[in-house]
Amino acid sequence: MLEFLQALTQYNFLGYALAGGLLASLSCGVVSAYVVSRRLTYLAGAIAHCVLAGLGGARYAQVRWGILWLDPLYGALLTALLAALIIGWVSLRARQREDSIIGSLWALGMAGGVLFLAATPGYETDLMNYLFGNILLLDPASLWLMLGLAGLVLILGLGLYPELLAVCADEEFARLRGLNTEFYYLLLLAMTSLTVVLLSSLVGLVLVIALLTLPAALASLMARRLRGIIVISIIACALFNFSGLCLSYLWDLPSGAVTVMVAGTVYLCALLVSKILKTRHSDGS
Amino acid sequence: MQAIELRNVSAGYSENTLVLDNISFTVQKGEFLALVGPNGGGKSTLLKILLALLKPWRGEALVLGQSPLKARRRVGYLPQQVNIDPDFPLTIPELVTMGCLGLKLSAAARRERAQAALEQVGLGGENRKRLGELSGGQRQKALIARALAAEPEILLLDEPTAGLDPKAEREFFDLLALLHGQGLTILVVSHDLSFVSPYVGKVVCVKCQVMVHPVGELAPEIISHLYGRPMRPVLHHISGQAHGAAPVKG
């Protein structure tokens, strides 16, 4: 631990990585609470996998057409928002075919991304970075963008808490009270898509779903209200990112995978403890 | 002043399924009515029109002198089935605070209203429980409190006591009678005519068309005509009058 803290003062890239992890934790904590409570994990997974098409397309445009300003992160943002709107629309208007249509979009996004990257020099390195993340590649420009995205998600998620809570808990009642429930549902998916882009830099697209569910799932074992779940999720996500980065540095392992392993292990242990406590409580009463 | 007015309303779900045919009736402010009738008779369709969830094909529906869409924030509603996940992280005070949605109130004012509504229904102490942790009767009371938090002028209830045991059902209707005594206009959809009749002033019988009766006029012939088969009157356990109906066996 001390070694890691010393390295933090010596190497800028480690500081950027830690700052990125903490920023992403803010929006991850807020969004994962809504995603888990409203059971939107499948939709979030589909958005995450569609993002590869945007990353791959932007990288292709940079290398092949020389459009250097088109950072893959911008491509990811555009595709994530587009995917959120399409998936949201399908979920609202084509419920009977929802799973097959969303499954198709999920696969098409991945396939499109792989094809773009295959046609781009440096294919293997790029693909691995996008799929499994490389937090050590973060630079100040990426951090500013992450700060903006995290701030936006935080403001929306906390500022519109009563409306989002109502839409997640009882959509029909919210509609009867005059709320535009479709707007808030699509907004929630758009916030999820922004968080997916933030997290993709940290743990990659394949493992994004873990950080979108595990912090809130862990928090659900401790808090009874959504507000409490949000707070605990933010803290848990920040601790997972910090410990993942620390352990990956000390053991020289991929940071994204280590972060997810830490999160998964903590969640499973907490679940076990919670079950044991419940059993003891019910035996005692 | 009229709380609800329907003039020559016809409605349905597709061209061939006319559910309500040219119905007209009014509800005065402060009345307590029961909406009864056979399954598929149009009770829920009527509620949907009053809640602006369905537009009539013909005719006009007015709620508190306005279109149902404009008046919907002045109406409290308790649905037959609430689609809230029992595991959703929502405590009872938060659930009731949801009733203030759409009102320009501070967070503190919303919480105060929710607490007042919870105390009104006798659930003032349930601060940590979730909806799934309450009994059936308590759950319905919590949902009534959510409707009351908006301080509505009309309360619409769709089969609110379905699935409750007789004791919980009686407690629930006693609560409605109390709210009615405080001036609230209440319209309750019920399958259990015998149970609701001692509480309500009028019964609106819906079977494609409507008939409005003061509860004292509910003769067996009227009830049999409404349900489309022979029915026998049931002596009610509270008033001792023949208000209810049960199918004739054999």
Side-chain angles (χ1 to χ4, degrees):
Chain A
M1 176 67 107
L2 199 61
E3 189 185 338
F4 175 69
L5 294 176
Q6 278 174 343
L8 265 180
T9 58
Q10 286 172 354
Y11 305 115
N12 281 343
F13 69 89
L14 269 185
Y16 297 151
L18 186 63
L22 296 178
L23 283 175
S25 301
L26 293 174
S27 61
C28 175
V30 174
V31 166
S32 76
Y34 289 116
V35 164
V36 169
S37 305
R38 179 66 170 76
R39 300 182 194 269
L40 293 174
T41 310
Y42 179 58
L43 300 194
I47 292 170
H49 285 77
C50 285
V51 165
L52 190 65
L55 283 167
R59 187 81 186 111
Y60 180 85
Q62 267 189 330
V63 175
R64 288 284 178 186
W65 299 334
I67 309 174
L68 296 177
W69 60 267
L70 189 57
D71 192 283
L73 209 55
Y74 299 147
L77 265 179
L78 188 69
T79 324
L81 286 171
L82 200 63
L85 291 178
I86 294 171
I87 287 169
W89 187 86
V90 168
S91 160
L92 289 167
R93 299 294 152 90
R95 284 197 172 154
Q96 288 159 332
R97 294 271 171 198
E98 184 183 349
D99 60 338
S100 44
I101 295 175
I102 290 172
S104 308
L105 289 171
W106 179 313
L108 280 172
M110 283 296 272
V114 170
L115 288 176
F116 271 124
L117 289 170
T120 310
Y123 160 70
E124 281 187 13
T125 316
D126 283 345
L127 185 65
M128 289 303 280
N129 283 341
Y130 295 147
L131 290 181
F132 301 104
N134 193 344
I135 197 170
L136 301 179
L137 293 181
L138 287 178
D139 56 23
S142 314
L143 285 180
W144 282 114
L145 184 62
M146 289 177 85
L147 178 67
L149 293 179
L152 183 64
V153 171
L154 204 63
I155 289 168
L156 290 173
L158 299 181
L160 299 174
Y161 179 79
E163 289 80 6
L164 291 172
L165 174 71
V167 170
C168 289
D170 192 350
E171 199 173 337
E172 188 192 31
F173 181 80
R175 194 166 47 244
L176 284 171
R177 294 299 308 162
L179 222 61
N180 186 342
T181 53
E182 292 192 356
F183 167 77
Y184 284 103
Y185 180 67
L186 291 176
L187 181 69
L188 184 56
L189 289 183
M191 287 161 59
T192 307
S193 69
L194 296 184
T195 308
V196 162
V197 173
L198 279 173
L199 292 176
S200 66
S201 312
L202 270 57
V203 293
L205 295 172
V206 172
L207 300 177
V208 152
I209 206 73
L211 280 195
L212 267 180
T213 50
L214 291 171
L218 175 70
S220 302
L221 300 173
M222 304 177 210
R224 296 185 64 75
R225 303 195 310 165
L226 190 65
R227 203 186 295 271
I229 292 179
I230 289 175
V231 173
I232 297 175
S233 291
I234 291 175
I235 296 168
C237 197
L239 288 175
F240 294 153
N241 279 321
F242 176 80
S243 48
L245 188 63
C246 177
L247 293 175
S248 68
Y249 175 80
L250 295 175
W251 297 338
D252 195 19
L253 290 169
S255 59
V258 174
T259 302
V260 170
M261 283 300 281
V262 169
T265 308
V266 170
Y267 169 66
L268 289 175
C269 291
L271 188 65
L272 191 67
V273 170
S274 153
K275 292 277 176 205
I276 292 169
L277 289 177
K278 267 189 187 168
T279 312
R280 279 191 186 172
H281 181 71
S282 56
D283 286 347
S285 57
Chain B
M1 165 112 185
Q2 283 157 352
I4 294 170
E5 186 177 6
L6 280 94
R7 288 191 215 128
N8 308 109
V9 167
S10 296
Y13 297 95
S14 64
E15 281 187 19
N16 298 325
T17 56
L18 180 72
V19 180
L20 294 173
D21 184 12
N22 197 32
I23 62 163
S24 299
F25 76 93
T26 56
V27 177
Q28 300 298 322
K29 269 197 165 182
E31 280 193 308
F32 189 176
L33 291 96
L35 210 60
V36 299
N39 287 340
K43 303 186 293 290
S44 296
T45 305
L46 191 53
L47 279 196
K48 281 183 184 169
I49 290 171
L50 298 177
L51 290 164
L53 294 174
L54 186 71
K55 276 190 180 173
W57 292 352
R58 283 182 296 279
E60 189 181 26
L62 292 174
V63 176
L64 298 163
Q66 294 179 302
S67 71
L69 190 65
K70 283 187 180 167
R72 67 180 170 184
R73 284 183 184 158
R74 299 164 70 189
V75 176
Y77 172 56
L78 181 59
Q80 187 175 2
Q81 267 193 328
V82 179
N83 297 318
I84 299 179
D85 182 346
D87 292 329
F88 193 91
L90 183 77
T91 57
I92 297 302
E94 278 188 319
L95 170 87
V96 177
T97 308
M98 270 172 62
C100 299
L101 271 180
L103 303 177
K104 287 177 182 166
L105 294 171
S106 67
R110 287 174 190 223
R111 280 196 297 273
E112 268 177 37
R113 273 205 189 189
Q115 192 54 38
L118 276 169
E119 277 164 18
Q120 198 173 0
V121 302
L123 292 178
E126 302 295 359
N127 289 325
R128 277 187 56 79
K129 282 189 179 167
R130 292 178 180 172
L131 197 63
E133 294 163 352
L134 297 182
S135 68
Q138 285 179 319
R139 200 175 304 150
Q140 294 304 83
K141 284 182 180 177
L143 293 168
I144 277 274
R146 179 173 72 168
L148 293 176
E151 297 184 353
E153 292 164 64
I154 301 174
L155 202 53
L156 303 177
L157 305 101
D158 192 359
E159 300 273 10
T161 54
L164 296 190
D165 61 52
K167 182 172 173 282
E169 192 175 13
R170 195 167 303 120
E171 277 179 13
F172 187 80
F173 270 96
D174 286 344
L175 172 65
L176 291 186
L178 189 74
L179 295 171
H180 174 237
Q182 292 166 2
L184 198 61
T185 307
I186 301 177
L187 197 158
V188 55
V189 171
S190 178
H191 63 285
D192 193 348
L193 182 56
S194 62
F195 198 92
V196 297
S197 52
Y199 293 93
V200 299
K202 273 185 192 170
V203 173
V204 179
C205 304
V206 188
K207 187 188 163 192
C208 197
Q209 295 184 318
V210 299
M211 292 179 285
V212 182
H213 304 281
V215 283
E217 291 177 6
L218 280 177
E221 297 75 30
I222 294 172
I223 299 168
S224 298
H225 172 68
L226 168 71
Y227 280 86
R229 57 182 173 150
M231 306 293 279
R232 63 183 169 81
V234 173
L235 284 179
H236 200 277
H237 56 282
I238 295 177
S239 65
Q241 291 175 297
H243 290 318
V248 173
K249 288 179 183 168

